Amino acid sequence: MEQLTSSLTPRTPSKSPVAGSSQQSSGSVAKRLGNELMTLMMSASPGISAFPKNDGNLFEWVGTIEGAPGTVYAGLTFRISISFPPNYPYVAPAIKFDTPCFHPNVDINSGGICLDILQDKWSAVYSVQTILLSLQSLLGEPNNASPLNTDAAAIWNNQEAFKTQLMRHYRPL
Amino acid sequence: MARKDFEMVNRCRRLPVCLEIFLDELRQKFYLVREDVDSFLAQYEVCSKSSVRYFTNVIVFQQSEDPTHISKLIFRLKEWYDAWLPSEELGATIRNAFILSFQTQLYSTLGPAFVKGFKDLIASTLPSSDPEAPEKPPDTAMWVIFETLGFLDRYESIIASAGYEHIEAYVLENCAGQWAEPMMENLRTWMSEKIVPWMLLMYGREATTTDDARVMLANVGSRFDFHMAKTLCDLRTREIFDIIVDYPDSNGALQDLKECLQRVDQRGALVKSLRKANRKRLLHPGADTRLILSQYVSTIKCLRIVDPPGVLLFKVADPIRRYLRERPDTIRCIVSNLVGDEDSGDSLVDESEPIVPLQQPDTEDYTDSNWEPEPIDAGPDFRTNKPSDVISTLVSIYDSKDLFVKELQVLLAQRLLAITDDNEVKVEKERRNIEILKIRFGEAALQVCEVMLKDMTDSKRIDGHVQSQKASIVHPTIISRQFWPMLESSEIVMPGQFQVLQEQYAKEFSTFKPDKRLRWLPHLGTVHLELQLEDRTVKADVPPLEAAFIELFSEKNIWSMDELIAAVGSVDRSAALKALLTWVHKGILREDEQGTFRLLEIAEEASPTREQPRLASTQQEIAPVTSLQQQQAEQMKVYWKFIEGMLTNLGQLPLDRIQTMLKFAPGYDQTIEQLAGFMEAARREGLVTVKDGIWKLTPK
């Protein structure tokens, strides 16, 4: 039932009248996203940030992640896009890298990310902030056991060669 | 006999030649007249010069020159005229030819010096403005001579201007600074009693009956009346600022002005003059906001008298309102007036003015049968200013009344927290104020204030209950955090017995209300202390910080300031010093060396520090409630986070996009102009850069 409602609901909280329950739910989703935005803005975690793309649509965000100092990604900044489903937070948001990111768990072409908490390990207690923090730590500590980018996984242990490959693909903002 | 001769000459057709010869002779002999004129004018000038020298330091409204010489000259001219005038028997033609020729010669002789003298002479014929001076009988003979010599026509403008100047002098002398009574009536009486008889000599000379005279005077009379009105109007226009200052004692002057403005079109000048005076004397940093407000209120009242439709007011008020909007403490001033602060001096609001709900600038009422078109000089953005009450006008300085309501809450919080000893009377007074304000602002707007008042009574009830369970000397005021304005937070931890008392009370409270928890605001409130020292007992009412410090001294006698600050948590050094100095002044502590204090168990006699305690030091000077302005600054910090967030992620944005994106920030209510100012401030701090109206963060 949940699935069915979600597929009927427009992805954006549109102004057109929709069925009572879904309207209510999209309203409460928007409220939750508003709160998350507020929390994110007010708690200054260094190197992570996100903001809605457009006014009026709280479901599409743009995020920014800076590589943590001490890792090969230090000093680099990556842009990501976050798309919240209408039944958020029961379903994880869809996240992908917009800046090409050479990383064992990131698809270099599509920007897709292989991270457990974004798939089967997702829980409603996570928030934008926890996702961003997880992504930031994922950059420094990849899960080489299940790579999306096998080339990257292969040369991870040779950090210098990895850095060269990384910089070849990297585009500054 | 002569007639026969004359006819003979005429029949011989020698008459034109004779006339020619006669006129020629007149021209040649005219030097005699000229000599006389010159000698009289010379005498006049010598006399007037000496008199000028005499009178330089004395301001006299009457002419200082003595025109008697001119008067003599006039009579002498008349003698010449009579001497040469052909006898009447010779017929009108010849007489007219003579008159024309004589006048031509005369006028060419009389230069500017005579004009000046003539004006003096005319002025001397005017009724004296000094009521003590004996009334002079009008010198009719002289006016007849003027007529004969043709002066009345030739010098009419000079005569009139002498009259105008006389009126001006009289008006200025009698009306300047006299605002209590309307002057117009008196002036008109004066005109008809004094000036009209004089005018009759000049303009009514051919009148045979009074009706005739009235008709003749009608035209010129209205000119003089206009001049009088204009003079008065100019005078009042110059004085308008002070007239408004003096209101309501200057009611008379305002009535005059109203009447004058209907007669004379000086409305533009009045607006200009008042705006200039306001700019120069009122709207500058030196003027107190209260003062500006009360002058504004007076201006409203005054200009409503002068111009009921309110066009003048609208034009004058605009700069004042714009200026007030920029003043940070305007709202505070208005609100404190609304709640009737005792210490704020006289109220802006008339006690007698009925309390009415705030009026919104309402739309045109098309069913109004008394509708009138807007006055002709109303500007395009003129809004019909229905005579609304003063408070509505003041509140309408701002776009929304929310600001007032917020400020009202802050003010109410301050006043409620300042109440000590369960002063029920004061709480009741606040309640009464709020009830009155409800009528103005509406029930909904003041709901929060209602909660605050309810908290006060509830605290008393809860305290009563807690005390009945377990008596305590702590009497807290329990307030609902959500509904009170932000209170200044404090990190003070009350030491020793205070803490014990607080904890006991909190425990009782939580058994009474298990779902609620007390969070102490220990820096607010008052403590009644009784200090038992070796040789004396001291009673004092002090703020909590002072109490905390002195409590610490019961542990040991000597503390350094840093130790004290550490013991109560964290406080400002200056606040700590102030608290300690309170005790020093009371002769209980003594500063041994810089930053070290010792308890004086035994009073030190003749200690230089034992002064009368300063009253100010025992009272909390800083307001415990953060003002609206601070709250706004706090709010702007939140908004800045959002701006930072959007610029980090979205790169660069134009101002209007930032404005629309900021609606994600809860409670964002700034206008785009305010945002622009804020961004500009951020740019000056080097946080952002702007290029072609696109803002972005300064790269780190």
Side-chain angles (χ1 to χ4, degrees):
Chain A
M1 187 60 202
E2 182 73 58
Q3 291 295 315
L4 189 65
T5 336
S6 71
S7 64
L8 289 173
T9 321
R11 280 185 73 78
T12 55
S14 78
K15 283 179 186 115
S16 63
V18 285
S21 68
S22 65
Q23 189 185 24
Q24 204 175 12
S25 76
S26 93
S28 70
V29 176
K31 195 172 169 216
R32 153 124 185 183
L33 287 173
N35 284 340
E36 286 200 17
L37 179 64
M38 183 72 185
T39 323
L40 186 65
M41 289 300 113
M42 296 320 289
S43 66
S45 311
I48 59 162
S49 172
F51 208 81
K53 229 181 244 177
N54 293 303
D55 51 294
N57 185 358
L58 263 170
F59 288 75
E60 301 288 337
W61 290 28
V62 176
T64 311
I65 297 174
E66 287 173 22
T71 68
V72 69
Y73 294 92
L76 304 184
T77 310
F78 295 91
R79 187 133 294 164
I80 60 171
S81 56
I82 310 169
S83 170
F84 295 94
N87 47 358
Y88 180 83
Y90 303 107
V91 172
I95 300 185
K96 67 183 188 64
F97 275 87
D98 288 344
T99 312
C101 178
F102 187 75
H103 186 275
N105 304 109
V106 179
D107 187 304
I108 189 76
N109 296 316
S110 71
I113 304 164
C114 178
L115 179 64
D116 52 358
I117 64 159
L118 290 182
Q119 277 114 27
D120 48 340
K121 293 274 175 61
W122 170 255
S123 149
V125 300
Y126 293 140
S127 67
V128 182
Q129 196 175 6
T130 53
I131 295 169
L132 290 171
L133 281 172
S134 308
L135 284 175
Q136 197 182 28
S137 64
L138 180 72
L139 286 181
E141 297 152 15
N143 179 3
N144 285 320
S146 62
L148 261 181
N149 184 340
T150 45
D151 296 347
I155 60 168
W156 173 254
N157 288 329
N158 181 352
Q159 285 282 295
E160 241 167 67
F162 189 88
K163 176 90 183 184
T164 321
Q165 282 298 313
L166 171 63
M167 293 315 287
R168 216 161 60 82
H169 290 99
Y170 179 72
R171 275 202 323 269
L173 294 184
Chain B
M1 174 67 184
R3 192 165 179 83
K4 252 187 208 161
D5 298 345
F6 182 69
E7 267 166 26
M8 177 72 90
V9 174
N10 195 10
R11 227 169 288 149
C12 301
R13 302 190 181 274
R14 301 302 296 165
L15 198 56
V17 181
C18 287
L19 184 61
E20 200 90 335
I21 292 167
F22 169 67
L23 292 179
D24 221 34
E25 197 71 3
L26 173 70
R27 267 191 287 279
Q28 278 175 20
K29 287 283 170 5
F30 208 82
Y31 71 92
L32 294 167
V33 178
R34 200 168 302 142
E35 275 171 10
D36 267 356
V37 169
D38 286 348
S39 87
F40 275 110
L41 282 181
Q43 281 178 32
Y44 165 74
E45 264 166 26
V46 167
C47 173
S48 69
K49 260 182 207 134
S50 67
S51 70
V52 165
R53 212 179 303 136
Y54 244 95
F55 285 105
T56 34
N57 289 326
V58 192
I59 298 163
V60 268
F61 275 104
Q62 273 161 320
Q63 303 293 338
S64 54
E65 288 91 354
D66 183 11
T68 44
H69 294 288
I70 300 292
S71 164
K72 281 182 197 154
L73 169 63
I74 300 282
F75 280 97
R76 174 58 61 92
L77 287 173
K78 168 75 169 154
E79 275 171 39
W80 284 111
Y81 177 88
D82 284 346
W84 286 341
L85 182 69
S87 78
E88 228 167 297
E89 294 164 4
L90 293 182
T93 325
I94 291 181
R95 277 176 78 103
N96 285 347
F98 164 77
I99 291 172
L100 185 68
S101 179
F102 186 87
Q103 288 185 350
T104 317
Q105 291 292 320
L106 184 60
Y107 296 156
S108 69
T109 311
L110 299 172
F114 174 77
V115 173
K116 186 170 166 295
F118 182 69
K119 198 169 167 186
D120 289 347
L121 179 62
I122 296 293
S124 75
T125 64
L126 281 160
S128 164
S129 52
D130 182 6
E132 306 290 302
E135 200 131 335
K136 282 180 292 187
D139 193 350
T140 335
M142 191 159 73
W143 287 89
V144 173
I145 298 173
F146 288 161
E147 169 80 41
T148 319
L149 296 179
F151 283 177
L152 291 187
D153 291 327
R154 184 170 166 83
Y155 292 123
E156 202 216 310
S157 64
I158 289 170
I159 296 171
S161 77
Y164 288 161
E165 277 172 23
H166 184 74
I167 292 174
E168 270 168 43
Y170 182 84
V171 170
L172 288 180
E173 191 187 1
N174 287 283
C175 302
Q178 305 290 319
W179 303 325
E181 296 296 324
M183 286 300 193
M184 209 58 179
E185 206 55 43
N186 293 346
L187 285 177
R188 288 239 159 91
T189 318
W190 172 77
M191 288 280 280
S192 56
E193 277 176 5
K194 303 278 178 161
I195 299 295
V196 169
W198 176 80
M199 278 161 61
L200 271 173
L201 292 172
M202 158 80 195
Y203 298 98
R205 56 190 185 264
E206 283 144 19
T208 43
T209 64
T210 35
D211 279 344
D212 259 8
R214 190 165 298 139
V215 173
M216 283 169 158
L217 281 184
N219 189 15
V220 64
S222 81
R223 245 164 60 207
F224 273 77
D225 184 64
F226 177 86
H227 194 77
M228 183 202 68
K230 182 163 162 32
T231 309
L232 185 62
C233 188
D234 284 348
L235 175 68
R236 293 290 183 246
T237 302
R238 280 197 299 280
E239 296 173 326
I240 184 72
F241 188 86
D242 294 299
I243 291 178
I244 293 175
V245 170
D246 263 23
Y247 183 83
D249 296 337
S250 55
N251 210 337
L254 293 166
Q255 297 295 348
D256 278 348
L257 198 55
K258 180 181 180 183
E259 206 175 331
C260 288
L261 281 176
Q262 281 161 359
R263 184 100 174 77
V264 192
D265 186 27
Q266 292 280 325
R267 294 161 66 93
L270 179 70
V271 168
K272 215 172 135 203
S273 159
L274 187 50
R275 282 176 75 136
K276 195 173 155 213
N278 279 339
R279 202 165 51 239
K280 194 171 155 212
R281 296 178 60 179
L282 192 64
L283 308 179
H284 58 77
D288 190 35
T289 306
R290 287 196 50 77
L291 205 85
I292 301 179
L293 278 172
S294 70
Q295 178 75 358
Y296 176 42
V297 170
S298 299
T299 307
I300 294 173
K301 289 178 181 159
C302 289
L303 291 187
R304 253 188 224 150
I305 296 176
V306 175
D307 171 51
V311 179
L312 295 184
L313 177 61
F314 181 77
K315 288 183 176 171
V316 172
D318 197 44
I320 306 182
R321 291 167 67 88
R322 257 184 289 137
Y323 185 83
L324 280 173
R325 220 172 297 163
E326 283 167 18
R327 281 242 168 171
D329 56 340
T330 304
I331 295 191
R332 176 155 287 236
C333 261
I334 298 174
V335 171
S336 66
N337 233 294
L338 283 180
V339 297
D341 257 342
E342 302 94 355
D343 50 326
S344 62
D346 48 318
S347 171
L348 293 176
V349 192
D350 212 346
E351 288 291 326
S352 56
E353 202 169 309
I355 301 160
V356 288
L358 284 187
Q359 290 161 358
Q360 298 298 329
D362 44 9
T363 44
E364 203 89 53
D365 177 11
Y366 292 105
T367 57
D368 186 2
S369 54
N370 297 322
W371 183 86
E372 276 177 34
E374 282 178 358
I376 195 152
D377 53 346
D381 49 354
F382 172 73
R383 278 171 292 146
T384 338
N385 200 340
K386 298 269 161 59
S388 55
D389 67 319
V390 171
I391 291 297
S392 297
T393 316
L394 288 180
V395 171
S396 72
I397 291 178
Y398 293 87
D399 295 329
S400 84
K401 63 181 183 183
D402 296 355
L403 287 169
F404 286 89
V405 174
K406 273 189 193 157
E407 187 67 44
L408 198 63
Q409 289 163 11
V410 170
L411 206 72
L412 181 68
Q414 273 176 12
R415 290 157 67 94
L416 287 178
L417 290 180
I419 296 173
T420 50
D421 300 329
D422 301 327
N423 197 332
E424 202 49 46
V425 183
K426 278 193 181 161
V427 178
E428 276 316 307
K429 194 167 154 273
E430 298 299 337
R431 188 179 304 284
R432 190 179 146 266
N433 271 333
I434 294 295
E435 290 297 332
I436 291 174
L437 289 170
K438 261 192 207 163
I439 305 176
R440 290 194 195 280
F441 285 92
E443 193 98 15
L446 290 178
Q447 218 169 9
V448 171
C449 295
E450 192 71 359
V451 173
M452 285 159 67
L453 282 171
K454 188 165 176 295
D455 275 350
M456 293 305 282
T457 29
D458 281 359
S459 313
K460 208 166 145 50
R461 222 189 57 238
I462 294 169
D463 188 49
H465 178 85
V466 173
Q467 300 287 353
S468 70
Q469 297 301 309
K470 186 170 194 288
S472 165
I473 53 168
V474 181
H475 298 279
T477 300
I478 298 153
I479 60 177
S480 323
R481 193 159 68 96
Q482 297 290 338
F483 289 91
W484 285 63
M486 251 194 280
L487 295 173
E488 211 177 280
S489 60
S490 159
E491 315 275 298
I492 308 180
V493 180
M494 294 302 278
Q497 52 172 321
F498 296 120
Q499 198 168 11
V500 177
L501 286 168
Q502 280 180 357
E503 275 164 11
Q504 281 173 353
Y505 196 96
K507 202 162 142 261
E508 281 306 319
F509 178 80
S510 54
T511 40
F512 179 49
K513 286 193 183 278
D515 55 335
K516 297 229 172 85
R517 194 166 57 87
L518 282 183
R519 182 187 292 176
W520 295 91
L521 293 168
H523 59 300
L524 303 176
T526 330
V527 183
H528 306 273
L529 284 178
E530 197 179 301
L531 305 179
Q532 290 181 342
L533 300 163
E534 272 180 28
D535 63 335
R536 64 199 189 283
T537 316
V538 178
K539 280 188 182 165
D541 288 355
V542 289
L545 185 61
E546 270 87 333
F549 281 153
I550 208 70
E551 168 75 11
L552 288 170
F553 276 96
S554 64
E555 293 171 23
K556 61 174 185 172
N557 277 354
I558 297 172
W559 289 80
S560 79
M561 190 133 109
D562 294 320
E563 286 174 321
L564 285 169
I565 290 172
V568 294
S570 87
V571 283
D572 214 20
R573 267 193 93 79
S574 60
L577 187 65
K578 196 170 96 37
L580 287 167
L581 283 179
T582 309
W583 293 118
V584 171
H585 285 301
K586 285 188 193 293
I588 303 213
L589 294 183
R590 188 194 163 125
E591 190 171 11
D592 279 342
E593 51 199 89
Q594 191 71 30
T596 311
F597 292 85
R598 182 164 60 84
L599 181 69
L600 298 175
E601 278 287 1
I602 294 161
E604 276 186 2
E605 287 309 317
S607 149
T609 52
R610 259 199 93 166
E611 310 158 357
Q612 284 298 308
R614 277 181 302 174
L615 194 67
S617 64
T618 54
Q619 283 165 356
Q620 193 140 18
E621 279 154 0
I622 34 165
V625 185
T626 39
S627 76
L628 199 60
Q629 230 186 325
Q630 281 166 294
Q631 282 184 33
Q632 272 171 349
E634 207 60 36
Q635 274 293 300
M636 267 341 261
K637 271 189 210 153
V638 175
Y639 303 145
W640 168 246
K641 297 270 189 199
F642 276 80
I643 295 168
E644 207 178 11
M646 71 179 81
L647 289 178
T648 308
N649 293 293
L650 305 174
Q652 43 192 22
L653 293 171
L655 193 65
D656 53 337
R657 277 265 285 163
I658 299 179
Q659 173 77 1
T660 49
M661 294 293 260
L662 270 173
K663 77 175 190 214
F664 287 128
Y668 182 74
D669 58 354
Q670 307 290 301
T671 63
I672 191 149
E673 286 79 21
Q674 284 168 313
L675 177 68
F678 180 71
M679 292 303 286
E680 191 50 38
R683 190 188 63 77
R684 278 197 298 274
E685 282 183 38
L687 298 168
V688 286
T689 53
V690 62
K691 198 180 166 215
D692 302 331
I694 308 286
W695 295 84
K696 62 180 196 181
L697 289 177
T698 312
K700 280 175 231 162

